[in-house]
């Protein structure tokens, strides 16, 4: 119990620290952090399923649904309030997950991974073939309002940064509670021995189904925040390389702590930014070497450095 409370204190302190930092850091860094934190929420969805023994190579499906819900809500429904659009993105993603999850939770291992990838690519194909949604180019997202307030220029970027940090902080606190709850514990037990969980009188399939819905909702929030920050959505949000990026970040951070995906996402964004600047034609190779090093020296992710120091101190 003490550890959970200590984690929550650190999460709140980090959230407040980032909000304050948003007023002093350069605009380019605030933009990178906004995207990194938003994508970290999608990675949280990947990690939630990894803790239950499932690897989703199609989390871009819900990332894309969240982003396109924001764009279509503004373009076709004339909805511009940021909170209403966020709710719309989550609702559509959870509704889609409620249907797909009935099939997805029947499968495990590589079958789950490939099926998740297939659904994501189906959405990609549908969007690419739809001229009303901009086809391969996508379309611009209308500037959002904040409960009637319509900031412009630098104020809008700062408002979106603060919104992203606050939403991420709240969701991180909720995820921390969830992972330490009975449902979160049973999810890990399913990964270790699903048959034993069945013998205890629980239904692994419906627990995984609930986990799938939660992961879809939080991933949609990440997609919506990304759409707000970039002001644009396109089919690449559902492409397999985008989902692969989320898995990459999940492996980079590890699954041991709720803060790991955020740290890994920020590190990934900074490494990619500087790799693009220093080696624009071979930056993928640099990322590949980073992942190879993590797999060899830190197979449990970056967070294993922190947990290892804690064990040594104890």
């Amino acid at each position: 119990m003490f550890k959970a409370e200590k984690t929550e204190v650190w999460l709140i302190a980090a959230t407040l620290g980032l909000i304050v930092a948003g007023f002093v850091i350069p605009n380019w860094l605030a933009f990178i952090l906004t995207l990194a934190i938003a994508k970290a929420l999608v990675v949280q969805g990947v990690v939630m399923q990894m803790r239950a023994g499932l690897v989703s190579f199609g989390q871009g499906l819900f990332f894309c649904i969240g982003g396109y819900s924001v764009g279509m809500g503004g373009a076709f429904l004339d909805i511009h309030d940021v909170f209403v659009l966020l709710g719309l993105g989550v609702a559509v993603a959870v509704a889609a997950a409620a249907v797909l999850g009935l099939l997805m939770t029947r499968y495990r291992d590589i079958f789950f991974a490939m099926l998740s990838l297939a659904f994501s690519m189906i959405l990609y194909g549908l969007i690419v073939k739809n001229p009303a949604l901009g086809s391969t180019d996508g379309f611009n997202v209308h500037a959002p309002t904040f409960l009637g307030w319509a900031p412009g220029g630098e104020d809008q970027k700062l408002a979106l940064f603060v919104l992203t940090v606050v939403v991420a902080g709240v969701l991180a606190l909720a995820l921390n509670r969830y992972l330490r709850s009975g449902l979160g514990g049973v999810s890990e037990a399913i990964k270790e021995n699903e048959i034993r969980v069945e013998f205890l009188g629980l239904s692994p399939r419906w627990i995984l189904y609930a986990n799938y819905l939660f992961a879809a909702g939080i991933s949609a929030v990440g997609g919506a925040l990304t759409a707000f920050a970039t002001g644009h959505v396109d089919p690449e949000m559902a492409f397999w390389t985008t989902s692969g990026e989320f898995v990459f970040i999940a492996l980079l951070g590890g699954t041991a702590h709720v803060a790991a995906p955020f740290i890994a996402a920020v590190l990934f964004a900074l490494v990619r930014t500087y790799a693009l600047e220093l080696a624009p034609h071979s930056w993928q190779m640099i990322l590949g070497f980073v992942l190879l090093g993590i797999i060899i020296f830190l197979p449990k992710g970056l967070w294993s450095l922190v947990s290892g120091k804690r064990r040594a101190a104890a």
Side-chain angles (χ1 to χ4, degrees):
M1 184 65 180
F2 174 76
K3 288 184 178 180
E5 292 175 354
K6 185 177 181 180
T7 297
E8 291 172 1
V9 171
W10 278 109
L11 289 174
I12 293 172
T15 300
L16 295 176
L18 283 172
I19 292 174
V20 174
F23 291 89
V24 296
I25 60 177
N27 291 331
W28 66 268
L29 181 57
F31 178 71
I32 290 176
L33 290 177
T34 302
L35 293 182
I37 294 171
K39 291 183 177 181
L41 293 176
V42 190
V43 178
Q44 293 283 6
V46 175
V47 169
M48 287 178 68
Q49 295 172 85
M50 289 177 67
R51 290 172 70 101
L54 302 174
V55 180
S56 173
F57 280 101
Q59 207 64 22
L61 170 70
F62 303 112
F63 177 66
C64 183
I65 289 176
Y68 268 82
S69 295
V70 164
M72 294 171 67
F76 303 138
L77 302 179
D78 199 30
I79 300 173
H80 302 293
D81 186 80
V82 68
F83 300 105
V84 176
L85 290 172
L86 276 174
L88 177 64
V90 172
V92 175
V94 172
V99 177
L100 298 179
L102 296 174
L103 176 64
M104 293 292 300
T105 52
R106 291 178 178 269
Y107 297 92
R108 304 289 185 270
D109 302 324
I110 191 64
F111 304 103
F112 179 91
M114 291 297 99
L115 193 58
S116 65
L117 176 61
F119 282 126
S120 181
M121 292 305 296
I122 288 172
L123 178 62
Y124 171 81
L126 291 174
I127 296 175
V128 165
K129 298 297 183 180
N130 193 332
L133 298 180
S135 189
T136 56
D137 296 327
F139 61 94
N140 291 332
V141 176
H142 291 193
T145 61
F146 298 78
L147 300 177
W149 176 49
E154 300 303 323
D155 289 337
Q156 184 187 46
K157 295 178 181 178
L158 179 59
L160 287 173
F161 174 78
V162 173
L163 172 69
T164 302
V165 171
V166 171
V167 170
V170 171
L171 289 176
L173 290 171
L175 280 170
N176 183 63
R177 290 291 182 92
Y178 169 77
L179 295 176
R180 285 169 169 76
S181 67
L183 185 58
V186 173
S187 296
E188 292 192 62
I190 292 173
K191 177 182 178 181
E192 298 299 328
N193 196 319
E194 184 173 339
I195 296 177
R196 184 170 294 179
V197 173
E198 290 182 351
F199 285 162
L200 292 174
L202 301 174
S203 173
R205 183 185 174 190
W206 292 112
I207 293 172
L208 293 176
Y209 182 76
N211 207 38
Y212 188 74
L213 296 183
F214 292 150
I218 194 172
S219 298
V221 173
L225 292 173
T226 300
F228 287 134
T230 59
H232 187 80
V233 290
D234 60 65
E236 292 295 321
M237 298 179 76
F239 199 56
W240 69 269
T241 54
T242 303
S243 296
E245 179 181 308
F246 298 140
V247 175
F248 182 107
I249 297 173
L251 294 174
L252 183 64
T255 62
H257 197 276
V258 71
F262 293 105
I263 296 172
V266 172
L267 179 62
F268 176 84
L270 293 175
V271 169
R272 183 168 64 178
T273 299
Y274 285 104
L276 276 168
E277 181 179 355
L278 297 174
H281 301 294
S282 57
W283 64 272
Q284 296 97 332
M285 183 177 65
I286 296 175
L287 291 178
F289 280 123
V290 170
L291 179 59
L292 182 62
I294 293 295
I295 292 174
I296 294 176
F297 299 107
L298 296 171
K300 293 186 178 181
L302 292 172
W303 192 259
S304 62
L305 292 173
V306 179
S307 58
K309 290 181 180 180
R310 288 178 177 175
R311 287 193 296 269

